[in-house]
Amino acid sequence: MPIPTNPLNEAPKTARERIYMALRDWIIDGTLRPGEKISDSEISQYFSVSRTPVREAIQLLADQKLIEIFPGRESRIAPLDPESSHQTYRILAELHALAVEFSFSKITPEIIAELETINAKFSVNPDNTTLPDMQALDKAFHDVFLRLAGNNFLKNFTDTLRIHVDRAENLYYTMDQEYISSAKEHAEIISALKQRNLGKAKEAMRYNWLHTVDVVNSRKEL
């Protein structure tokens, strides 16, 4: 399996958490591709740990449907299922619409200014902006609503599903105007908030997610 050769610099809280976060990131960014066999011996050697925390981390990733475990045989990176990906985007569209609703009473001029600042960065030097940069900006925009909503269940559910979304986009996307157009959709959300129109803001949020899945589905190459 293609484990990166660069050394690790961050200090872990626990071995299991460190391994989990690294494997998760490799799955998301495409270092570990769908169908790739997982070698717990290679992973344990890379992290200089026993196989126990490796197996615990793999189980956590299996619980999140990122790894498939075949008992007594092997573990592999889970494939991307088009229908499942579409459903994930639909669920996220509704969850983020709820985040708008839950946070609506807390939207102040200062919050709107924060959203506008984040969104403005989508249009700054787009030719020099990478997909991970765009994903980080998009996440920062949506995290404003999740933060204000103050609901841990909503935050945890969306964070877990976001892993699958980022993975699909990393595998299927090329950087172009389609992704940058997300800034225009964010602007529609901001405009609705300025108008104090909750229904319009929620609908604009839904469209932002559902338009993205249409683009992702049009780029499938695997």
Side-chain angles (χ1 to χ4, degrees):
M1 59 184 285
I3 292 180
T5 57
N6 56 297
L8 294 172
N9 297 318
E10 66 276 1
K13 293 181 179 180
T14 67
R16 181 186 66 179
E17 290 171 346
R18 185 183 189 188
I19 297 163
Y20 162 78
M21 293 177 66
L23 291 178
R24 181 198 62 190
D25 290 346
W26 295 342
I27 294 171
I28 292 173
D29 68 21
T31 299
L32 297 177
R33 308 281 291 183
E36 187 78 44
K37 185 176 179 180
I38 299 296
S39 171
D40 55 3
S41 61
E42 288 184 42
I43 296 171
S44 62
Q45 182 178 4
Y46 178 76
F47 287 95
S48 299
V49 297
S50 70
R51 292 190 182 186
T52 298
V54 173
R55 289 168 178 165
E56 291 174 347
I58 288 174
Q59 183 60 58
L60 287 173
L61 292 163
D63 292 342
Q64 294 182 342
K65 309 302 181 184
L66 293 171
I67 287 179
E68 292 181 325
I69 298 176
F70 302 94
R73 294 166 52 198
E74 61 187 17
S75 298
R76 291 185 177 273
I77 304 301
L80 279 171
D81 174 42
E83 180 62 27
S84 179
S85 293
H86 183 73
Q87 291 175 359
T88 297
Y89 274 96
R90 289 189 61 188
I91 294 169
L92 279 169
E94 295 303 323
L95 290 177
H96 281 282
L98 276 177
V100 171
E101 180 177 336
F102 292 168
S103 64
F104 190 70
S105 64
K106 301 174 185 177
I107 301 295
T108 63
E110 291 75 19
I111 294 298
I112 289 177
E114 180 183 358
L115 292 169
E116 289 178 326
T117 297
I118 295 169
N119 200 40
K121 295 178 181 179
F122 273 93
S123 303
V124 176
N125 297 322
D127 292 338
N128 297 321
T129 304
T130 66
L131 179 56
D133 290 335
M134 297 297 281
Q135 288 172 332
L137 288 169
D138 186 65
K139 187 175 187 301
F141 181 89
H142 292 289
D143 278 352
V144 172
F145 297 98
L146 293 171
R147 182 186 78 224
L148 293 176
N151 186 295
N152 289 334
F153 290 112
L154 184 63
K155 179 69 165 60
N156 292 337
F157 291 155
T158 55
D159 282 350
T160 297
L161 292 174
R162 181 84 195 211
I163 294 172
H164 293 269
V165 165
D166 286 345
R167 182 186 180 210
E169 292 179 7
N170 276 319
L171 288 170
Y172 293 146
Y173 254 120
T174 56
M175 271 300 303
D176 58 19
Q177 296 300 315
E178 288 289 354
Y179 201 94
I180 295 168
S181 70
S182 185
K184 297 179 181 178
E185 295 162 12
H186 290 173
E188 290 296 322
I189 297 169
I190 294 171
S191 176
L193 294 174
K194 288 181 176 179
Q195 297 169 30
R196 302 304 299 168
N197 189 327
L198 175 58
K200 185 177 179 181
K202 291 176 66 175
E203 192 57 36
M205 179 64 80
R206 289 190 186 95
Y207 179 81
N208 180 226
W209 285 97
L210 296 178
H211 172 248
T212 303
V213 72
D214 288 340
V215 175
V216 170
N217 285 338
S218 72
R219 301 294 175 82
K220 291 190 176 73
E221 297 177 355
L222 298 181

